Structure formats: structure tokens, C-alpha cells
Amino acid sequence: HRPTMEDLAMHGYELPPVLRAPAELALAHRFRTAVLGAQSSTDPAAYDAAIAVARQARADGFQVDTPTTTLMMQKLANDVIGHALARPNASTVQVALDVLALIGELGAPVDISTAQEAVYFALRNNADGTSKPVALLRPLSEALHLRITSAATA
């Protein structure tokens, strides 16, 4: 029935609750399967199927994130950012940036406060910004919506 539901949504037909709930559950299941199928990969391409489902769901007015997918993406974000902080180099920081972009694309309501704090303190503890690791972490701080100023680091 998926093609029929997609056609109805595409033509602006407001689904009644009796049809909307099963359609949303089916999309959420497809999304969860796609995210879990990526097996916590740090390669954004592994999530192409999940992105496609999320885009389709958003276009049709559905919400597809589940607690399982949100927790998985949160753990993935914390892991890659922790790795970038432990071994700051162009590759680890790029993977962290790619994962953050992926989370944004998926629209998953991931709590990034732990990652923000970790990056904030890493930058604040080396406030002069002259070391190579600090310079590498600046794009990550921007992606996490952090602003480290001299007043904050004093």
C-alpha cells in the first residue's frame, strides 16, 4: 500500500488518523532498519537509505525518528567526537563533521550537549589557539555551535 499512500501524500491529501498512524509506523520501521543497517558506520554514505526515508517522510509530513535511532546516533556522535578530541587530526575531525552533518540531514533529535562540553573544554584549556590540535578542532566547535572567546577562556 506504500505507493498509494505516497501518491495521496504527494497530492496533498490529509490522511485520516486511522491511516496516518500505520503509515508513520511503517516509515519509522524502514528508517530504523536503515539506520541499524549502517551498523554505527562513520561513513556517511552508509546512511543513504536512512536519509532517503527521512526525506520522504518529511516531504509527506511524517516523523520517523525512534528512541533507538536517536540513541544510536547520539552514541555515534559522542564516539567520533571523543575520538577526534583524543587524536585530533584532519581525518578524525572530518569524520566527526560528517557525522554531525548526517545527524542534521536525518533530523534526529540528538542531544549534543556532552559533545559540546567536551569540545568547549578542550578548546578552553588551550585558549591561545596556537597549537595544531586546537586549530584542527575549530571547525568542529563551529559545527557544534560553540563560540570560544577570549572572555570565556579567561
Side-chain angles (χ1 to χ4, degrees), residues 1-16 19-21 23-28 30 51-64:
H1 295 67
R2 187 169 82 202
T4 302
M5 300 296 253
E6 289 173 1
D7 283 344
L8 291 172
M10 183 174 60
H11 290 89
Y13 179 76
E14 184 71 29
L15 294 177
L19 294 177
R20 183 173 180 75
E24 195 162 48
L25 283 172
L27 281 169
R30 285 181 47 216
I51 290 170
V53 172
R55 283 180 180 160
Q56 175 192 350
R58 266 191 303 243
D60 296 343
F62 294 114
Q63 189 70 17
V64 293

Side-chain angles (χ1 to χ4, degrees), residues 14 74 116:
E14 184 71 29
Q74 186 167 327
Q116 287 174 317

Side-chain angles (χ1 to χ4, degrees), residues 30-83:
R30 285 181 47 216
F31 179 73
R32 180 179 180 273
T33 300
V35 169
L36 295 176
Q39 300 178 352
S40 297
S41 173
T42 57
D43 177 10
Y47 296 89
D48 285 348
I51 290 170
V53 172
R55 283 180 180 160
Q56 175 192 350
R58 266 191 303 243
D60 296 343
F62 294 114
Q63 189 70 17
V64 293
D65 58 294
T66 66
T68 301
T69 56
T70 298
L71 287 173
M72 183 178 158
M73 297 308 292
Q74 186 167 327
K75 181 181 179 330
L76 178 61
N78 287 335
D79 288 350
V80 297
I81 290 169
H83 188 66

